[in-house]
Amino acid sequence: SCEGTGQGGYLAVCPVDAQVAKARRLAAESNQNVSATAVATTGMECKERQFRRRSINLERDAIREDELINLVGLPVFISIVDNKQDGWGFVALDNLQYPMLDTAN
């Protein structure tokens, strides 16, 4: 969940390809320089929440748990995009909350 507002953008939770995640982990362990840009190539789509409020006042919003169920156990990345090309557009987020899962068991 988060508090957000904006006109012409979105917040997305996207799966990271397992091979990309493994390569990045191995490179990080060997202290190699690795791009921080995540790549979604699993065939699963990102779960998006559009911003369509022409206001500076933040409102509580969330991507529902049932929308994220297919991402449980997968590495994901969060993308915040302002894609408004003209006029009054911006994205503002605060108090972004997400669960941490114990995958050791």
Side-chain angles (χ1 to χ4, degrees):
S1 68
C2 67
E3 293 175 4
T5 192
Q7 177 70 28
Y10 61 90
L11 167 72
V13 178
C14 304
V16 176
D17 181 85
Q19 293 176 341
V20 172
K22 181 179 179 181
R24 289 195 177 154
R25 187 180 69 248
L26 293 173
E29 289 172 359
S30 64
N31 294 325
Q32 294 177 7
N33 186 13
V34 181
S35 169
T37 304
V39 178
T41 58
T42 61
M44 295 178 68
E45 292 186 20
C46 296
K47 305 304 177 187
E48 296 181 1
R49 190 58 79 235
Q50 298 287 323
F51 294 105
R52 296 187 181 130
R53 296 186 61 239
R54 188 172 178 163
S55 172
I56 60 171
N57 298 320
L58 301 176
E59 285 191 4
R60 171 76 43 205
D61 197 1
I63 299 175
R64 294 186 329 266
E65 195 173 308
D66 63 316
E67 293 177 271
L68 299 173
I69 196 72
N70 291 335
L71 299 176
V72 172
L74 297 176
V76 297
F77 66 96
I78 297 171
S79 180
I80 303 165
V81 177
D82 176 0
N83 59 2
K84 181 85 170 180
Q85 297 288 327
D86 60 344
W88 199 85
F90 80 101
V91 172
L93 286 176
D94 198 3
N95 301 318
L96 185 62
Q97 298 175 348
Y98 53 91
M100 295 298 293
L101 301 176
D102 181 12
T103 58
N105 295 327

